[in-house]
Amino acid sequence: QVQLVEGGGGLVQPGGSLRLSCVASGRSPFNYVMAWFRQAPGKEREFVAAISGYGSRTLYGDSVKGRFTISRDNAKNTVYLQMNNLKVEDTAVYYCAADSALKDRGYAYWGQGTQVTVSS
């Protein structure tokens, strides 16, 4: 099992940047694929990005390619989501997730989420 705690959300203006973090604890968190999802009000949860256990492979959702970057620091058991050129439509609750495979759905473990609001 792994426990996930997100942080770094907040209010940012369009065009701005924000970095989210997710600290993992429990049994060998570096063995897990880590991912970010988001859910806006009234919408389904959307895959954002995922990274393999040692960071050699990444996967991105189409809506964030070229703007968001996922990375991890296994020494700190932390995964990051650097978000640049933010748009109003990026407003959502962002969730960290973990699983054994690099994929865009069906993750086993979830954090509680952090709110990101993009507004002028």
Side-chain angles (χ1 to χ4, degrees), residues 3-60:
Q3 293 78 45
L4 306 170
V5 179
E6 303 96 335
L11 173 65
V12 62
Q13 292 186 341
S17 298
L18 206 58
R19 189 176 80 158
L20 304 183
S21 61
C22 172
V23 179
S25 60
R27 196 169 181 177
S28 303
F30 58 85
N31 284 337
Y32 288 90
V33 169
M34 302 293 291
W36 289 96
F37 288 77
R38 66 186 183 185
Q39 188 165 21
K43 295 188 177 182
E44 293 186 354
R45 189 174 294 180
E46 177 189 12
F47 170 74
V48 175
I51 187 167
S52 59
Y54 289 95
S56 59
R57 293 180 296 155
T58 57
L59 192 63
Y60 290 94

Side-chain angles (χ1 to χ4, degrees), residues 93-117:
V93 177
Y94 282 71
Y95 296 92
C96 180
D99 206 291
S100 57
L102 188 69
K103 54 189 176 180
D104 62 2
R105 68 194 68 190
Y107 279 69
Y109 304 104
W110 293 86
Q112 295 201 343
T114 185
Q115 176 71 46
V116 171
T117 302

